[in-house]
Amino acid sequence: MSADLMSRLSAHNMRGADHLPGWCSVCGRPHPERHHVVARSLGGSSGPMVHLCGRGNALFDADGRLLHHGAAERHRLHLWWADGEDADIAPDVRGWQSAFWAYLITDFQINTWDALRLPGWRPFP
């Protein structure tokens, strides 16, 4: 992915709001970890954060269930601030709010640009 494209994606998601409900934003499990939507290495230190289950890069729990923090770290959980802007790169996602976080979970690691083109994006519950 080009630096210009990544900068555009990062800049778009940096406009998003924190989503810290006290449980995993994807599945609702308790005791979530804060996750920077835009990686700190890409300038996201002061950007929006979301609550996700799991710690660090762990991908599955002891029961084999996907941990969403690890999925995000391993580029299997992708996030998009659905605010109607940047329509030329936005994924196809429908929501009931004027601006909300949407997510896509993939079965394998994929870069964000390719993930934006895939079907199945959903708003946080």
Side-chain angles (χ1 to χ4, degrees):
M1 181 180 313
S2 76
D4 289 339
L5 182 57
M6 193 59 207
S7 295
R8 186 170 176 206
L9 292 169
S10 295
H12 175 87
N13 277 342
M14 285 293 285
R15 293 194 303 257
D18 287 341
H19 191 268
L20 304 170
W23 53 81
C24 178
S25 297
V26 176
C27 69
R29 279 187 264 190
H31 313 296
E33 184 83 6
R34 287 178 180 229
H35 175 73
H36 289 268
V37 173
V38 176
R40 288 177 281 188
S41 63
L42 296 174
S45 293
S46 62
M49 291 190 283
V50 297
H51 271 153
L52 297 174
C53 60
R55 301 269 189 265
N57 293 330
L59 196 53
F60 297 101
D61 68 10
D63 296 323
R65 295 179 300 171
L66 186 66
L67 294 169
H68 296 111
H69 191 268
E73 294 293 332
R74 293 180 184 215
H75 306 285
R76 289 186 52 191
L77 171 66
H78 304 276
L79 302 169
W80 176 261
W81 179 245
D83 63 355
E85 300 294 323
D86 296 314
D88 61 315
I89 62 171
D92 183 19
V93 60
R94 303 284 185 259
W96 55 270
Q97 302 172 24
S98 59
F100 57 93
W101 285 107
Y103 72 95
L104 176 73
I105 299 172
T106 58
D107 292 333
F108 48 88
Q109 183 175 341
I110 184 172
N111 71 51
T112 304
W113 177 249
D114 291 336
L116 291 172
R117 301 288 163 247
L118 294 175
W121 284 83
R122 302 170 45 153
F124 281 161

